[in-house]
Amino acid sequence: MKKFLAFLMIGMIAAFSTSPCYAADSVSETTTTVYQLDNGITVERTIIESDISTFATKQKRGTATQTYRMGADVIATVSLTATFWYDGSDSGVVSASSSHTTYDSWKYKNESIWDSGDTAYLSAELEHSIGNADVDLSLSCSPTGQLS
C-alpha cells in the first residue's frame, strides 16, 4: 500500500508540474523615434513587442509609449497597449488599454481608445497654463505579426 501511495504521489506531482500548452511571452523588439511638435514639445515614441502565441493561435502584444518633454523636463508619459492576432493573411485587434502619468501640473483629459481593423488608436489632450498638446497614438499589426 505504501508503494502504491508513493507512485500515486509521484504521478500527481508529475501531472501538476508539467508546462501548460502555450509558449511563454518573449520580448522580441524595441523601436524608438523622436520628433518635435510645433509648440516646442519633444515626443519620444517607443514600441515594445512580445510574442504571446499559443500553439493554436498567433498573437502579439505591443506597447507604444510616448514621452513628452518640454526642454529637459518630462511632462507626461502615455502608453497604449494592444493585443493582436495574425495568421499570415490577415490580422486584427483583440484588446487595447492605456495608462498615463503627468508631471508639473500638466493635465491629461478627453481620452478616447478605439480600434479598427488591424490598428488600435488613442487620442487625448495634455493641458497646462503654458500651452496644450494633442496626444495621438496608434499601434498596428501586419498579417505576418510586425508591429508599427
Side-chain angles (χ1 to χ4, degrees):
M1 184 68 173
K2 287 182 181 180
K3 285 185 181 180
F4 173 76
L5 289 175
F7 283 117
L8 181 63
M9 290 295 289
I10 291 170
M12 289 176 62
I13 290 170
F16 290 112
S17 65
T18 58
S19 298
C21 294
Y22 61 85
D25 287 8
S26 62
V27 174
S28 59
E29 208 169 305
T30 302
T31 57
T32 302
T33 55
V34 178
Y35 59 94
Q36 184 108 14
L37 300 178
D38 291 340
N39 58 7
I41 294 175
T42 302
V43 181
E44 178 180 289
R45 182 172 196 249
T46 303
I47 297 175
I48 299 173
E49 62 182 84
S50 59
D51 291 314
I52 55 171
S53 298
T54 65
F55 292 118
T57 61
K58 295 179 181 176
Q59 291 189 345
K60 245 189 199 179
R61 178 183 302 123
T63 300
T65 300
Q66 290 187 169
T67 302
Y68 293 78
R69 297 178 192 275
M70 180 77 71
D73 298 327
V74 174
I75 60 172
T77 302
V78 181
S79 295
L80 172 64
T81 299
T83 301
F84 301 91
W85 63 269
Y86 63 98
D87 63 10
S89 61
D90 202 4
S91 59
V93 178
V94 175
S95 64
S97 62
S98 71
S99 64
H100 69 274
T101 305
T102 57
Y103 305 93
D104 298 328
S105 300
W106 282 85
K107 294 179 184 171
Y108 182 84
K109 57 188 239 178
N110 299 328
E111 180 186 77
S112 179
I113 299 174
W114 71 99
D115 64 79
S116 179
D118 62 1
T119 304
Y121 299 92
L122 179 149
S123 175
E125 297 173 45
L126 291 171
E127 184 179 81
H128 194 279
S129 61
I130 62 172
N132 298 335
D134 291 330
V135 175
D136 293 300
L137 259 168
S138 64
L139 193 55
S140 299
C141 181
S142 74
T144 57
Q146 292 294 110
L147 298 187
S148 60

